[in-house]
Amino acid sequence: MDIIQFVEQSIGQWRSQRSAHHMAFSHFEAVQSIIDIDMLSGNDPAVVELCQAYDVDPSQAVAPFQMKWEGQSDWDEDNPEVKGSAILVPVPDPVVPQRGKLLRDQGYAETIAAAGEYHFLDDGTFVLITAYERAAAEERIWFANPNLRFRVSLIKTSAGSGVVTASFSSEIRSSKA
Amino acid sequence: MDIIQFVEQSIGQWRSQRSAHHMAFSHFEAVQSIIDIDMLSGNDPAVVELCQAYDVDPSQAVAPFQMKWEGQSDWDEDNPEVKGSAILVPVPDPVVPQRGKLLRDQGYAETIAAAGEYHFLDDGTFVLITAYERAAAEERIWFANPNLRFRVSLIKTSAGSGVVTASFSSEIRSSKA
């Protein structure tokens, strides 16, 4: 598995069931959402701008894409809408193509731009680690079959050993956009 | 990571939060339970008997253990108790010690004895695949730190590509027994 295959397999519309476990108070949260993942052109002004913000030559970027999500949580009844979008730009390591950076214009944990480090495990699982100022995020995504993928996301303390929230998503492809 | 280290790290009492996603009808189920994992002696009559049932020489077994779980589900209100125990006996491959068989006297999916095949990914994740008569189960378990482990369990159709149920557990160690 490399990042180009991984992004190609991810393109489309996905129906997502997400369960979040809040560690400190054993709380379960359930979120149902629709996720759209669309390929972007390498010439897209937003892609070029994100590369420049991270001092990356846009010619090193591969398979940039956009994610949009819109869902409903059962947790916060006053504000159940979960909605957002992000542009993501993979920049493979020129020497070790199994790993690289993933630039994004908006992170899950702190809604600011962030660059994460990704690599693939030997079974093709994608692992992304992103350090924020006051937290770190770890995501692992793998495909059970071409139309079903799983995602485990951890929000950790910035020191990295304490896990604040762990969430699990099952994502079923509803169309191949 | 090998199976002996993995079992040693797992010994103790764990407080588990489990979310199950039932794929066909987008249903969320939440289960809270206590899991006790205890080392057994290789001479334990139950271990020897399980080896014999699978034509395995008991001297090939390593780090046998017992798991007991007791919990409550929010799904079936008439029968919310989730309770059970199993004896598990790892039998590493004599040539490739990163993989092997795991014998158990009672499976999750069909409550009959079963032998699964395990291996470790390059980041230490334990992966177990068990084929039952009418279903297959895939489990992956990994440690975020010594007192926190995650488990993703899939129940698949016996052909192996359709996933019926996916569940995610966060397990926090409450004592090191």
Side-chain angles (χ1 to χ4, degrees):
Chain A
M1 181 73 89
D2 67 20
I3 191 71
I4 295 177
Q5 288 173 295
F6 179 78
V7 173
E8 279 172 357
Q9 286 194 22
S10 299
I11 297 302
Q13 184 168 82
W14 302 81
R15 187 163 52 80
S16 164
Q17 252 184 293
R18 182 159 73 89
S19 295
H21 297 176
H22 300 277
M23 295 294 162
F25 36 102
S26 293
H27 182 86
F28 290 90
E29 179 187 2
V31 182
Q32 286 191 288
S33 55
I34 299 292
I35 298 172
D36 284 291
I37 303 178
D38 296 302
M39 199 71 92
L40 293 177
S41 152
N43 303 321
D44 191 293
V47 173
V48 173
E49 195 183 313
L50 189 55
C51 287
Q52 286 166 346
Y54 283 97
D55 271 333
V56 168
D57 182 338
S59 70
Q60 290 188 278
V62 304
F65 59 102
Q66 180 163 42
M67 263 181 80
K68 292 183 197 162
W69 58 95
E70 191 164 350
Q72 291 229 312
S73 163
D74 69 346
W75 195 12
D76 182 350
E77 287 180 11
D78 295 330
N79 188 19
E81 283 276 305
V82 182
K83 195 172 171 175
S85 77
I87 288 170
L88 294 116
V89 178
V91 183
D93 185 293
V95 181
V96 187
Q98 295 302 99
R99 46 178 70 240
K101 285 187 194 307
L102 183 67
L103 314 182
R104 74 190 298 164
D105 68 339
Q106 193 179 33
Y108 278 98
E110 307 214 343
T111 63
I112 51 167
E117 304 277 344
Y118 73 80
H119 64 275
F120 288 93
L121 301 185
D122 48 8
D123 73 335
T125 300
F126 171 81
V127 181
L128 175 68
I129 294 167
T130 309
Y132 296 93
E133 202 179 322
R134 287 161 304 167
E138 183 189 311
E139 268 197 315
R140 37 182 78 202
I141 300 176
W142 69 100
F143 287 83
N145 65 48
N147 296 313
L148 176 60
R149 59 180 223 172
F150 297 111
R151 173 200 298 258
V152 172
S153 307
L154 309 180
I155 305 294
K156 300 178 167 186
T157 55
S158 49
S161 62
V163 175
V164 180
T165 307
S167 74
F168 176 61
S169 305
S170 322
E171 302 177 345
I172 297 172
R173 193 201 299 275
S174 47
S175 76
K176 188 141 181 156
Chain B
M1 182 72 88
D2 67 20
I3 191 70
I4 295 177
Q5 288 172 296
F6 179 78
V7 173
E8 279 172 357
Q9 287 194 22
S10 299
I11 297 302
Q13 184 168 81
W14 301 81
R15 185 164 52 81
S16 164
Q17 253 185 291
R18 181 159 73 88
S19 294
H21 297 176
H22 300 277
M23 295 295 162
F25 37 101
S26 292
H27 182 85
F28 290 90
E29 179 187 0
V31 182
Q32 286 191 289
S33 55
I34 299 292
I35 298 172
D36 283 291
I37 302 178
D38 296 302
M39 198 72 91
L40 293 176
S41 153
N43 303 322
D44 191 293
V47 172
V48 173
E49 196 183 314
L50 190 55
C51 287
Q52 286 166 346
Y54 283 97
D55 270 332
V56 167
D57 182 338
S59 70
Q60 290 187 277
V62 303
F65 59 102
Q66 180 163 42
M67 262 181 80
K68 291 184 198 163
W69 57 95
E70 192 164 349
Q72 290 230 312
S73 163
D74 69 347
W75 195 14
D76 183 350
E77 288 181 9
D78 294 330
N79 189 19
E81 284 276 305
V82 182
K83 194 172 170 176
S85 76
I87 288 170
L88 295 116
V89 178
V91 184
D93 185 294
V95 181
V96 187
Q98 295 301 100
R99 45 178 68 242
K101 285 189 194 308
L102 183 67
L103 313 181
R104 75 191 298 163
D105 69 338
Q106 192 179 34
Y108 280 96
E110 308 214 342
T111 62
I112 52 167
E117 303 277 342
Y118 72 81
H119 64 276
F120 288 93
L121 302 185
D122 48 8
D123 73 335
T125 300
F126 171 81
V127 180
L128 175 68
I129 293 167
T130 309
Y132 296 93
E133 203 179 319
R134 288 162 302 167
E138 183 189 312
E139 269 198 312
R140 37 182 77 203
I141 301 176
W142 69 100
F143 288 83
N145 65 49
N147 295 313
L148 175 61
R149 61 179 221 171
F150 296 110
R151 172 198 300 257
V152 171
S153 307
L154 309 181
I155 305 295
K156 299 178 169 188
T157 55
S158 49
S161 62
V163 175
V164 181
T165 308
S167 75
F168 176 61
S169 305
S170 320
E171 301 177 345
I172 297 172
R173 192 201 300 275
S174 47
S175 77
K176 188 140 180 155

